[in-house]
Amino acid sequence: MRRGLRFVPPALLLLAVLELTVFVLVGRGLGFGAAVLLVFAASLLGLVLLRREGMRAWRGFRAAVESRQPPGQQVTDGLVGLVGALLLALPGLVSGAVGLLLLVPPVRRLARGGVQRAAERRVSSMVAGDLFGPRRVRVYRGASPPPPGPQPSPGPQQPAPAEPGRAIEGEIIEPGRP
């Protein structure tokens, strides 16, 4: 079993206890009927949004493929929307609140960025380029930049001329990010 998967059963148990505790607290505050109605309404809204987000994700993916653009951003945006709608559809107040938050545009953008970075870490750079488009590359000619930290001999660093056929160090910068 993978190391991260061993925490799934205790996390699910903790989530169930948290959902029950929040439901009891809301039931005491608003009344049992109102709490049940609130959970039912959130689940119904989640089911409606699940269909809408699924269709939206599919249309965005098809439009990107038909225009021969990388579909990665549409896929990650659709995935975040589907997870938000699914969490809202699950019966529970905590999962519904998290699902509703994932559907709010600023939070959705943040989550999409996190999903995209996680996907880029797990796939090869070639696949990431196919999914999310080309990257801008900043190239430093000559000697590599000095490592961070104290330098043994301070002084100006003279860049060495680049030789043909040698690798040039650089860093990958995504378009639209500093």
Side-chain angles (χ1 to χ4, degrees):
M1 184 186 270
R2 292 180 65 163
R3 288 186 299 179
L5 293 179
R6 69 178 178 201
F7 296 114
V8 170
L12 289 176
L13 182 63
L14 186 65
L15 180 65
V17 168
L18 180 67
E19 289 282 4
L20 228 101
T21 304
V22 169
F23 181 77
V24 167
L25 291 174
V26 169
R28 283 186 179 169
L30 298 177
F32 180 72
V36 169
L37 190 61
L38 187 63
V39 169
F40 181 73
S43 295
L44 190 61
L45 177 65
L47 289 174
V48 170
L49 288 177
L50 192 61
R51 182 167 189 257
R52 189 192 92 186
E53 290 295 325
M55 293 303 293
R56 180 177 168 199
W58 179 247
R59 275 188 240 119
F61 174 75
R62 285 193 53 196
V65 169
E66 287 172 2
S67 65
R68 297 191 183 272
Q69 293 178 351
Q73 187 173 6
Q74 286 80 10
V75 170
T76 53
D77 187 51
L79 182 65
V80 170
L82 283 171
V83 167
L86 183 64
L87 285 174
L88 193 57
L90 290 175
L93 296 171
V94 175
S95 63
V98 171
L100 199 56
L101 273 176
L102 283 175
L103 295 174
V104 174
V107 177
R108 189 174 185 156
R109 273 192 299 270
L110 285 172
R112 181 180 65 210
V115 169
Q116 183 173 335
R117 283 189 298 279
E120 287 173 341
R121 278 194 309 266
R122 286 177 171 71
V123 299
S124 71
S125 59
M126 195 164 104
V127 172
D130 289 343
L131 276 177
F132 302 109
R135 305 287 191 253
R136 287 187 307 137
V137 178
R138 183 180 299 160
V139 177
Y140 300 102
R141 293 193 178 267
S144 63
Q151 301 298 319
S153 61
Q157 187 180 24
Q158 298 292 329
E163 297 174 18
R166 286 198 52 198
I168 300 173
E169 275 197 45
E171 68 180 275
I172 297 176
I173 301 175
E174 296 181 27
R177 291 192 181 171

